[in-house]
Amino acid sequence: MKEYLETANHPAMYIGVALLLGIVLWQSAVFIRRALKRARELGIAKERLKHAVRVAALTSIVPSIAVVVALLTLAPVLGLPFSWARLSIIGSLVLPILILSGVLAARFLYQKGWVK
């Protein structure tokens, strides 16, 4: 496990994840810019745009609190860069929990001698 964490927390992993998330942020900026340009073309009032941006920001930030908690949970086991990339792109902890519960159940059954 120690060797895995040394590899998982290697600076090259941080660089790779930073590049990956940089692409995601760039893509988001492009879409926001295009959406605002189109809204101006359609003549939508600035007040409505500001309200829409505030609501969108709020509905994006509040659910991400659970993602941060998941990051803090996964980081000691999987390493920070991998957990950071996985949760930033996918954003859900449901699948890893299902996989982990299956692995733990199989290990329990094997240790009890019920499965060989």
Side-chain angles (χ1 to χ4, degrees):
M1 184 71 173
K2 183 180 177 185
E3 292 174 13
Y4 167 77
L5 287 177
E6 287 176 5
T7 303
N9 289 317
H10 192 272
M13 291 292 289
Y14 283 98
I15 293 169
V17 169
L19 289 173
L20 178 68
L21 296 179
I23 291 169
V24 171
L25 291 173
W26 171 79
Q27 182 182 18
S28 299
V30 167
F31 281 116
I32 289 171
R33 199 172 328 123
R34 286 183 181 180
L36 291 174
K37 181 180 176 186
R38 182 67 178 145
R40 283 190 295 271
E41 289 172 0
L42 294 173
I44 297 175
K46 265 193 169 184
E47 299 82 35
R48 289 193 67 177
L49 287 176
K50 286 180 183 180
H51 179 72
V53 169
R54 277 195 303 266
V55 169
L58 183 63
T59 58
S60 297
I61 291 170
V62 172
S64 67
I65 294 170
V67 175
V68 171
V69 170
L71 172 67
L72 296 175
T73 303
L74 288 178
V77 178
L78 298 177
L80 183 60
F82 180 75
S83 302
W84 181 29
R86 194 223 177 276
L87 292 171
S88 295
I89 304 300
I90 299 171
S92 174
L93 194 57
V94 174
L95 184 61
I97 289 174
L98 288 174
I99 292 170
L100 183 59
S101 66
V103 168
L104 292 175
R107 183 174 179 186
F108 174 77
L109 294 174
Y110 181 77
Q111 286 178 340
K112 292 292 183 182
W114 299 341
V115 175
K116 292 186 180 188

